[in-house]
Amino acid sequence: MHWVALRWQPEPELPREALGWWALQFTPRVAWLDEGLLLDVSACERLWGGRLSLMRQISAANPSEGRVQRAQGATSLIALARLRLFARGQKPPADVPAALPLDTLTAALPHLDVLARLGCQTWGDVAALPRGGLARRFDTALRETLDVAWGLRPDQYTWLTLPDVFEQKLELPALAETAPELMWSANRLLSALQVWLRARQRGAVALELQWTLDLKRFNGVNLPPHQSFTVRTAQPTQDMAHLRRLMSEKLALTQLAAPASWLRLRTVETSPWAGASTSFLPEDSRKGDKLHELVERLSARLGAQQVVVPVTQADHRPEAMQGWQPALARTSAAVPALQPDGLYPPWLLRQPLPLEMRGGHPYYRGKLRRLSGPQRLEAGWWGGKEEEGGHPAVRDYYIAESPEAGLVWVYRERLSAPLALDQAPRWYLQGLYA
């Protein structure tokens, strides 16, 4: 067995749970004691490349700004005793655990005066006393603790486990009346969230920030007990700087109904985290924000309905094959195209443009020359507008060439109910090819 005891000096700002979650990245057996954290690393030393490599990685991954103090031992009590000696600036004795000072054993602290009068100064002095007399004079916990220290009994602790959903509350040091004051306290919760995401190998997709209002009525108006907003990302992320910017944008647009006294951060949706792909090639190391981060920040600043992306729709009519939705909306897989993509131009006009007719030929920046077609379309009567009479779209599509505009996509309305029998067919420009 091998144990590691950790403590921070000075005390870290991160909550105790967050420090425990951070330690769970190195070993599944982590326990909290008054002095700090206990880690059983016996089963995972080889995974980290040996004991020395593991100690280096624990020090390098310190989540707090404070200095981490650590000590090792064959049992948890030996590791704790060595940590206490290290905190006092004393070197551990050569004979461990027999020569360890008695005041480094928690179970012996209530009996130090009596044990000193018996001439006991070290763990070995107490262990040498008769078991029956020691159990009768003192409680059985002292003898059992010594058995644990010598490895005769197993260490029994309440092991930490990671929750399935991150949710933490924080009491504000003072009533927050503005958004920047809330953001200053939310940074601590984001630091704890980062530890939880890394330990769970998850990426944040949606977060809810909620604050408790200190007043129930304001200017004669009843107030809700809480206010909150949700931050969404287009892709799973563990980048706290990006989440911090999104929250700042949201808070800048939020008016606090009353001063806030508590803050709560909760994950609404997370996804498995695959990690970031890196490259040694200089052209792959692009500077600046990623596209999805820019979209998320603009959505938070301008509103989700102001930043939209195109989505495919199942429809025969070209003008209805594409719709728009908020960029951060969660949608299912795209609808497969009903026709080969090569037939459709990349640029469709918002409204078809009527073409000029000369001698029975359509013109657009010159006389059009037909290259392919027709592609006949007749559908859409079920979705016709009332002002249009609900008539179907009856069209023949062509790919044509314009002397100045290049390849264009045009269609001719075929004779149908909307057209009088004596009216000539009308031609329209629907799209342009790059």
Side-chain angles (χ1 to χ4, degrees), residues 250 298-300 302-308 325-328:
K250 283 280 190 178
L298 290 177
S299 299
L302 304 177
Q305 302 299 325
Q306 304 302 321
V307 183
V308 295
Q325 70 173 18
L328 299 184

Side-chain angles (χ1 to χ4, degrees), residues 276-330:
S277 299
T278 57
S279 173
F280 290 107
L281 300 178
E283 57 269 19
D284 292 340
S285 303
R286 301 178 180 177
K287 298 181 179 180
D289 293 343
K290 299 178 181 178
L291 176 60
H292 72 90
E293 293 183 355
L294 174 63
V295 171
E296 293 161 7
R297 191 163 65 252
L298 290 177
S299 299
R301 182 179 303 174
L302 304 177
Q305 302 299 325
Q306 304 302 321
V307 183
V308 295
V309 294
V311 293
T312 57
Q313 297 178 351
D315 200 290
H316 289 80
R317 295 164 294 178
E319 64 272 16
M321 289 182 178
Q322 176 178 295
W324 296 89
Q325 70 173 18
L328 299 184
R330 307 292 292 178

Side-chain angles (χ1 to χ4, degrees), residues 7 42 113 221 241 257 283 287 292 332 385:
R7 64 177 300 215
S42 305
D113 294 339
V221 179
E283 57 269 19
K287 298 181 179 180
H292 72 90
S332 57
K385 298 181 181 179

Side-chain angles (χ1 to χ4, degrees), residues 85-368:
L85 291 176
F86 179 76
R88 298 194 307 223
Q90 300 178 10
K91 293 184 178 180
D95 187 10
V96 176
L100 288 171
L102 203 54
D103 59 352
T104 59
L105 186 63
T106 303
L109 293 180
H111 316 294
L112 286 181
D113 294 339
V114 178
L115 291 173
R117 289 196 293 269
L118 293 176
C120 298
Q121 300 294 331
T122 64
W123 292 17
D125 296 339
V126 181
L129 296 176
R131 297 181 64 93
L134 182 62
R136 288 192 299 269
R137 183 68 180 269
F138 307 98
D139 52 14
T140 58
L142 179 58
R143 183 64 255 184
E144 293 175 354
T145 302
L146 291 173
D147 290 341
V148 172
W150 261 264
L152 303 177
R153 284 176 175 267
D155 295 276
Q156 296 181 357
Y157 296 101
T158 301
W159 306 112
L160 294 177
T161 57
L162 278 169
D164 295 332
V165 177
F166 175 87
E167 182 174 356
Q168 274 201 359
K169 293 183 64 177
L170 176 66
E171 185 177 8
L172 304 182
L175 292 181
E177 299 182 356
T178 61
E181 296 176 1
L182 276 183
M183 197 63 224
W184 183 84
S185 299
N187 287 332
R188 291 184 58 187
L189 295 178
L190 286 175
S191 299
L193 171 66
Q194 185 178 35
V195 173
W196 182 86
L197 290 174
R198 289 177 176 176
R200 293 280 299 185
Q201 293 295 306
R202 309 284 292 182
V205 177
L207 303 174
E208 181 189 46
L209 184 67
Q210 182 187 89
W211 55 93
T212 303
L213 300 180
D214 190 61
L215 301 178
K216 296 183 178 180
R217 290 176 63 87
F218 184 73
N219 291 337
V221 179
N222 293 328
L223 298 177
H226 308 287
Q227 276 187 286
S228 64
F229 63 77
T230 302
V231 173
R232 285 194 171 273
T233 60
Q235 298 180 11
T237 181
Q238 291 185 356
D239 186 358
M240 292 301 110
H242 178 55
L243 292 177
R244 192 175 295 110
R245 287 195 296 266
L246 292 182
M247 284 192 176
S248 299
E249 296 287 353
K250 283 280 190 178
L251 282 174
L253 302 176
T254 304
Q255 183 177 1
L256 273 63
S261 57
W262 282 83
L263 201 60
R264 183 176 71 101
L265 183 63
R266 181 175 66 92
T267 55
V268 178
E269 183 179 354
T270 60
S271 295
W273 178 251
S277 299
T278 57
S279 173
F280 290 107
L281 300 178
E283 57 269 19
D284 292 340
S285 303
R286 301 178 180 177
K287 298 181 179 180
D289 293 343
K290 299 178 181 178
L291 176 60
H292 72 90
E293 293 183 355
L294 174 63
V295 171
E296 293 161 7
R297 191 163 65 252
L298 290 177
S299 299
R301 182 179 303 174
L302 304 177
Q305 302 299 325
Q306 304 302 321
V307 183
V308 295
V309 294
V311 293
T312 57
Q313 297 178 351
D315 200 290
H316 289 80
R317 295 164 294 178
E319 64 272 16
M321 289 182 178
Q322 176 178 295
W324 296 89
Q325 70 173 18
L328 299 184
R330 307 292 292 178
T331 60
S332 57
V335 178
L338 300 179
Q339 297 289 342
D341 294 338
L343 296 179
Y344 296 99
W347 182 8
L348 289 180
L349 301 183
R350 190 178 297 273
Q351 293 292 337
L353 177 66
L355 296 179
E356 179 185 1
M357 301 295 296
R358 299 177 186 176
H361 293 281
Y363 276 71
Y364 177 72
R365 301 177 66 177
K367 184 179 178 180
L368 296 181

Side-chain angles (χ1 to χ4, degrees), residues 3-43:
W3 293 77
V4 177
L6 304 175
R7 64 177 300 215
W8 281 263
Q9 191 66 32
E11 288 293 329
E13 293 185 356
L14 283 175
R16 286 168 56 99
E17 295 84 355
L19 294 175
W21 300 338
W22 163 78
L24 285 173
Q25 301 177 80
F26 301 99
T27 176
R29 300 185 69 185
V30 178
W32 258 111
L33 295 182
D34 294 337
E35 287 78 10
L37 280 171
L38 271 177
L39 284 68
D40 179 9
V41 297
S42 305

